[in-house]
Amino acid sequence: MKGIEKHSKEAGAAGPFIRVKVLRSGGGNGGAGYFAEYDVPAAAPLSVMALLAKVHDMDGSFACRTSMCFKGHCGSCLVRVNGQDVRGCVTLVQPGETVTVEPHSGFRVIRDLVVDFSAPAGAGDSGAGGGGETK
Amino acid sequence: MTAMDGIRTIEADVAVVGAGAAGARAALAAAEAGARVALLSKGPLARSGITITAAGGMQALLHPDDSPEKYVADVLACGYDLADANLVRVLAEDSPARIADLERYGAAFQRQAGGGYDLRRFPGHSVPRNVFIRGGGSGLIGTLRNACLANPGIAVHEDFYAAGLVPRADGSPAPAGVVGLDLKSGEICFVGAGAVVLATGGCQRLWEINDCPADATGDGLAMAYRAGAELIDMEMVLFYPSVIVWPPSLRGAFVHYEFLAPEFLDGEILDRDGRPVLPKPLPVRDVAMRLMAEAIAAGRGGEHGGLFWWAGEGPKSAAGQAALNTAQYKYIRQHGVEPLTDKIEVAPGAHYLLGGIGIDAQGATSVPGLFATPECAGNIDGANRLAGSALMATQVFGCRAGQAAQAWALAHGAAPPEREELAAEVGRLKGKVAKEAAGGGETAAESASLTEVRSYLRAAVQQGAGVRRDAAGLGALLRAVAEAEEALAWLKVPDIRVYNQQLVDLLELEAACTVARLVAGSALKREESRGHHFRADFPARDDGQWLRHTTVRRGETGPEFGSRPVIR
């Protein structure tokens, strides 16, 4: 593991932010990875999913899933946060916090945080249907 | 099959581009009819696309008091008489069989205690008509995903970005196949196929405010346009009044405008000073959105450009409590927002593309051998649509397009691609990657420049082609699109082989510019107001002139806009 690649602010930079450390790798389990660090301006809490999309906007070479269902159902957002496999879309991070994000442990890594879900995974969830939506 | 050196060739009878509910259904229909299908999905199956955001309502002709006539009349009335009646009739007549198919594939629908479907009546339904699939949109696409994976005739290609169609070498305008990028391997591929089905969904991500996943960039619309297909009513985008703009972690989610009604929450839309923006009883959605857009334009909006959805102070009915007890509201609560009490900053946002690629009842476009299915196909709904129409249309027209594509491929076979066109499309992709070279070479763009161009385009679309439109604003949007395209022409992305996400970002943005121009030009063309298309400079509905579709095709020097009659 190499040292941390920093995309961080200098001390004293204005405004609240969230420090995100992401594990970057070219893919393939067992390949050496390294952590890169990004400071994402954030005046309010952000989900890990929203944070990662912002990191990708700051550094397009960093890869992550960006599609989501806005219901906590689909599992596009599965990642490992501070050592725990979670749904990134409902994992909130507060301004001022530092968070470490790695690929979800259950799937093969394609690149950075993008994993290959075609490894065994269940069908679409069966949560509460109904409601009054219009789509 | 003749292909170029250095690109991988995949062969199929039918290539289906897009693997939401429509594409997956088209793939199943084609494969069940005997075709070898290549199903190309931009992201992972059932974890990408727009279907996963749906609640699961599907309008189907299942009630004993319902009839095709009532169904068709309801859809046409809701769409301000702008839907093609031949397509709506098909939607009505095929709907029960497509529900039965979904059950055959393993889906379950909500049923009453007696065993019958729990049919619900939504606004505009003369008879209870919506059935609900268990698991909502995820349940629907999960079911179809499993059926596709179990079908040996379907080869699924996940993380495959389809970029462009290539015509046949024999001079026919029919596609010989699809050029795309296999993100997992980094290879540029040519998918040779006898027929192609486009099922790529809408383009709602063009708008700054929308409630769709990042995938909804309009790629297939741009592909169809570039291949010469006719697109219709591209100005018709369904907006939703209450898309969340703050807090930022909830951007893209929405809260139901309908739930503010007295029988649910008896709530309000408030301005920054807490004054109600809408009269009571609350107006229908399109009226509400115009009033909201005016209030925002008049400076009554909050810090983040929105108004405030509020459930109100009064006691909540059982229906109101239950309405906020779904996965969608659980998700909102998980972000620290309590919808029963908190004021949530919302604004009208793009929700669904009503217009799109023009199709006939078999899903055939104006280009032979090229088929399309909603949401990327238009003329099914008109200027507005009923709740439950979108998911049903994916199944009815997905099935028809898949069957028709199989039949077309069987009759005409596959053919080699026109070599110069293939080389040009491959070159377009390769040309966006900066080539490092000893002693210099090209430099990849800063990530910021791509993000800036995208933000610029999306703000311009929101401003010029949002709820309130006029000629000056649409003209400004067209100029902004030209500026964005000019900036994009110089952008190159780093040479990353596996999962070059920035290359997809750039290709999506290029497609988005193409589609934004079609939206703006069509909106300029329709000099009237109808349904979700509101022209402040032409505020009245004009049936004398405009009981017609706007049309657009690629011409010699750019898009050629026109119009044609609606099919009665």
Side-chain angles (χ1 to χ4, degrees):
Chain A
M1 184 116 10
K2 290 188 261 173
I4 291 179
E5 176 189 290
K6 296 201 176 188
H7 302 255
S8 322
K9 293 162 188 265
E10 297 303 315
F17 62 91
I18 294 167
R19 181 158 289 172
V20 191
K21 294 178 180 176
V22 295
L23 182 60
R24 303 203 55 180
S25 72
N29 287 333
Y34 64 96
F35 280 97
E37 191 176 288
Y38 301 86
D39 287 349
V40 177
L46 287 174
S47 68
V48 167
M49 196 64 175
L51 267 175
L52 295 177
K54 286 178 186 289
V55 171
H56 173 69
D57 281 348
M58 291 164 68
D59 177 358
S61 75
F62 162 73
C64 62
R65 299 277 179 201
T66 55
S67 189
M68 60 192 290
C69 68
F70 308 109
K71 289 177 167 55
H73 261 176
C74 74
S76 163
C77 61
L78 292 174
V79 285
R80 193 168 179 82
V81 175
N82 297 336
Q84 299 251 317
D85 287 335
V86 297
R87 284 175 296 154
C89 74
V90 290
T91 304
L92 282 195
V93 187
Q94 303 293 326
E97 287 184 347
T98 295
V99 66
T100 301
V101 191
E102 299 166 78
H104 191 279
S105 65
F107 305 98
R108 187 183 75 85
V109 176
I110 297 173
R111 174 177 203 84
D112 297 338
L113 301 186
V114 177
V115 297
D116 187 347
F117 293 115
S118 61
D125 304 20
S126 52
E133 213 288 303
T134 58
K135 264 192 180 154
Chain B
M1 185 72 57
T2 55
M4 290 171 57
D5 293 338
I7 66 167
R8 191 172 110 216
T9 300
I10 297 165
E11 289 184 33
D13 299 319
V14 174
V16 178
V17 184
R25 188 64 189 84
L28 287 165
E32 286 167 8
R36 291 170 308 146
V37 178
L39 178 58
L40 311 177
S41 181
K42 186 155 77 167
L45 279 190
R47 286 185 161 102
S48 61
I50 306 169
T51 303
I52 52 176
T53 67
M58 305 177 75
Q59 62 162 353
L61 196 104
L62 295 166
H63 195 279
D65 296 338
D66 208 351
S67 69
E69 289 72 28
K70 287 180 188 171
Y71 191 122
V72 170
D74 288 352
V75 172
L76 294 182
C78 173
Y80 295 81
D81 296 318
L82 206 63
D84 282 338
N86 59 329
L87 301 187
V88 183
R89 176 159 281 277
V90 158
L91 185 68
E93 289 173 350
D94 286 7
S95 61
R98 297 295 81 81
I99 296 293
D101 286 351
L102 283 169
E103 291 179 321
R104 174 164 61 87
Y105 294 137
F109 288 87
Q110 291 183 7
R111 289 177 179 271
Q112 295 171 325
Y117 292 111
D118 184 13
L119 287 166
R120 300 194 214 158
R121 186 201 300 249
F122 276 67
H125 287 157
S126 56
V127 180
R129 195 173 286 141
N130 274 1
V131 283
F132 281 84
I133 192 164
R134 292 204 177 275
S138 287
L140 172 62
I141 192 58
T143 297
L144 293 168
R145 166 190 179 271
N146 291 346
C148 285
L149 293 177
N151 190 313
I154 300 174
V156 176
H157 301 267
E158 292 180 308
D159 291 317
F160 188 104
Y161 182 81
L165 299 163
V166 180
R168 296 176 173 225
D170 60 10
S172 150
V178 182
V179 170
L181 178 68
D182 180 342
L183 283 156
K184 283 186 197 173
S185 69
E187 293 164 297
I188 292 176
C189 302
F190 175 69
V191 185
V196 176
V197 179
L198 295 175
T200 52
C203 54
Q204 290 84 307
R205 292 291 283 200
L206 265 65
W207 281 261
E208 202 168 42
I209 303 172
N210 69 84
D211 60 3
C212 288
D215 300 320
T217 47
D219 313 308
L221 298 159
M223 284 171 69
Y225 168 75
R226 290 169 55 221
E230 179 189 73
L231 284 80
I232 71 157
D233 295 337
M234 283 299 290
E235 72 281 10
M236 290 298 176
V237 176
L238 192 149
F239 294 95
Y240 194 77
S242 42
V243 176
I244 298 175
V245 298
W246 194 265
S249 70
L250 281 172
R251 269 196 92 100
F254 70 92
V255 280
H256 288 81
Y257 173 69
E258 295 78 3
F259 291 170
L260 297 176
E263 60 269 34
F264 291 105
L265 301 171
D266 199 15
E268 309 260 16
I269 298 286
L270 305 174
D271 69 7
R272 60 189 299 165
D273 301 319
R275 291 175 300 169
V277 169
L278 302 177
K280 293 258 183 132
L282 291 174
V284 295
R285 288 202 301 214
D286 49 351
V287 175
M289 276 186 284
R290 283 171 210 170
L291 293 171
M292 290 171 69
E294 281 167 22
I296 292 169
R300 294 174 66 190
E303 212 181 319
H304 311 101
L307 298 164
F308 297 88
W309 182 98
W310 184 47
E313 278 174 332
K316 305 303 166 212
S317 67
Q321 304 271 3
L324 301 188
N325 204 21
T326 60
Q328 181 172 343
Y329 287 90
K330 185 181 173 200
Y331 174 78
I332 288 168
R333 289 187 172 102
Q334 284 171 314
H335 287 246
V337 172
E338 174 45 62
L340 268 175
T341 50
D342 291 347
K343 296 182 176 75
I344 304 174
E345 194 166 353
V346 298
H351 181 73
Y352 184 83
L353 177 66
L354 296 161
I357 305 161
I359 57 167
D360 70 9
Q362 311 309 321
T365 71
S366 62
V367 173
L370 179 64
F371 299 80
T373 169
E375 178 179 0
C376 74
N379 52 336
I380 289 96
D381 296 293
N384 192 7
R385 73 163 170 77
L386 292 166
S389 172
L391 289 186
M392 198 68 246
T394 65
Q395 298 306 287
V396 166
F397 293 100
C399 180
R400 284 184 165 239
Q403 287 172 346
Q406 183 274 336
W408 206 91
L410 190 65
H412 297 84
E418 209 285 310
R419 292 190 67 85
E420 281 183 24
E421 297 258 7
L422 176 62
E425 184 60 10
V426 170
R428 185 173 77 93
L429 269 57
K430 287 187 171 169
K432 297 194 183 307
V433 178
K435 292 293 170 212
E436 308 284 343
E442 297 169 335
T443 312
E446 292 289 323
S447 309
S449 30
L450 199 152
T451 308
E452 273 166 24
V453 176
R454 184 169 53 204
S455 299
Y456 179 73
L457 177 74
R458 295 179 70 201
V461 173
Q462 185 74 32
Q463 182 71 26
V467 169
R468 185 186 183 283
R469 302 162 172 184
D470 60 30
L474 291 164
L477 171 54
L478 285 169
R479 289 191 293 280
V481 171
E483 280 175 44
E485 279 183 333
E486 200 172 317
L488 279 190
W490 298 96
L491 281 186
K492 290 187 188 287
V493 300
D495 190 6
I496 294 171
R497 184 157 176 87
V498 173
Y499 207 87
N500 191 344
Q501 191 170 359
Q502 246 177 322
L503 179 52
V504 173
D505 292 342
L506 185 50
L507 292 166
E508 285 180 339
L509 190 47
E510 197 165 88
C513 286
T514 300
V515 176
R517 178 174 282 116
L518 306 185
V519 170
S522 302
L524 261 180
K525 181 84 182 168
R526 184 177 291 281
E527 294 186 330
E528 65 149 0
S529 293
R530 183 182 299 267
H532 283 262
H533 172 69
F534 176 64
R535 284 283 300 264
D537 46 354
F538 295 94
R541 172 172 167 168
D542 180 2
D543 278 352
Q545 292 271 359
W546 278 112
L547 212 48
R548 299 171 69 80
H549 297 301
T550 62
T551 60
V552 59
R553 279 176 195 260
R554 184 181 193 172
E556 293 283 319
T557 57
E560 289 175 357
F561 295 94
S563 72
R564 67 170 163 90
V566 174
I567 296 172
R568 290 276 144 241

